[in-house]
Amino acid sequence: MRTATQPRLDAASQALRQWLGATVLPAQCALCGIGCPEVLCPPCRAQYLGLLRPRCRQCANPLDDVALLCGRCLHQRPAYDATVTAFDYAAPVDQLLLQLKFGARLALAPLFAQLLHVAIQQHAAWVAPHLLCPVPLGPARLAQRGYNQALEIARPLARLLDVQLQPRLALRVRETPAQSGMAPQERQANLAHAFAIAPEHAALLQGCHVGIVDDVMSSGHTVNALAAACKGAGAARVSILVVARTPPH
Ligand SMILES: [Zn+2]
Ligand SMILES: [Zn+2]
């Protein structure tokens, strides 16, 4: 039987699990499970990570040829100007990202920041942004999860890039239902006016190049909506920095 103290105990044990996930050194490789003091063992790093492929400079969808932009971006230009990603959202990286997002394995975030930094350094047309802004969660989802995985990645990435972090630049003003299971048009409508720029930070955006950070980019509607809000508030350029990109189906 649940008692009045149960929710508090549940919250405390969740917080403890998150603290453990964030602070205790991993004893096993997150992918193959062999004993290892780092998050990933050197063979897994070599096998799965750091395989960069040609991508559209604007949306980071994979390209087979040397074109700079994909057909979709040529047909309808997104609100953002460039996208850099480290991986396709596929096994085994998808499992690691799920561990960060839903398993509170916060120790993975600096690893993702490092790998994204490697991809950024190899990007032919990279222009450094003036500031980084993680995709914000709504208050209800933030309270439920206890952390924002995009901010966890953005914090070490800002240090690696030597760029200031502005975690409260953008606000999620409308809680949006989960995007999975929706038709593409529904997703886009679902996100219209989902973001606003915090009035106290709006002056920062005049003529600014913003780097938007997120864990995964799928349709791109989320980052596009946030990029449009930044441009509407005066940003001159927006680059998207995501750990993984879902390949188009
Ligand atoms: Zn391994
Ligand atoms: Zn594209």
Side-chain angles (χ1 to χ4, degrees), residues 56-61 63 68-74 78 245:
C56 170
R57 286 192 183 177
Q58 193 154 5
C59 77
N61 267 330
L63 291 175
L68 298 181
L69 298 179
C70 72
R72 289 185 192 200
C73 287
L74 286 172
R245 178 76 164 103

Side-chain angles (χ1 to χ4, degrees), residues 29-34 40-45:
C29 168
L31 285 179
C32 70
I34 68 161
L40 288 187
C41 71
C44 281
R45 258 180 204 258

Side-chain angles (χ1 to χ4, degrees), residues 103-189:
R105 191 134 189 218
L106 302 186
L108 289 167
L111 171 76
F112 288 136
Q114 265 178 38
L115 296 164
L116 185 49
H117 187 230
V118 170
I120 287 168
Q121 287 174 311
Q122 294 183 26
H123 196 260
W126 171 248
V127 181
H130 299 115
L131 57 88
L132 292 191
C133 169
V135 172
L137 292 181
R141 200 156 295 162
L142 184 60
Q144 181 188 31
R145 194 171 295 161
Y147 60 96
N148 175 0
Q149 73 281 359
L151 173 58
E152 296 301 320
I153 296 164
R155 202 179 282 124
L157 185 63
R159 282 196 293 269
L160 289 167
L161 291 172
D162 196 19
V163 167
Q164 61 167 308
L165 178 66
Q166 288 292 340
R168 281 178 276 278
L169 177 76
L171 309 167
R172 198 147 194 152
V173 288
R174 211 160 63 80
E175 290 282 1
T176 48
Q179 296 277 301
S180 48
M182 275 189 200
Q185 299 85 343
E186 285 178 319
R187 287 184 179 210
Q188 207 154 5

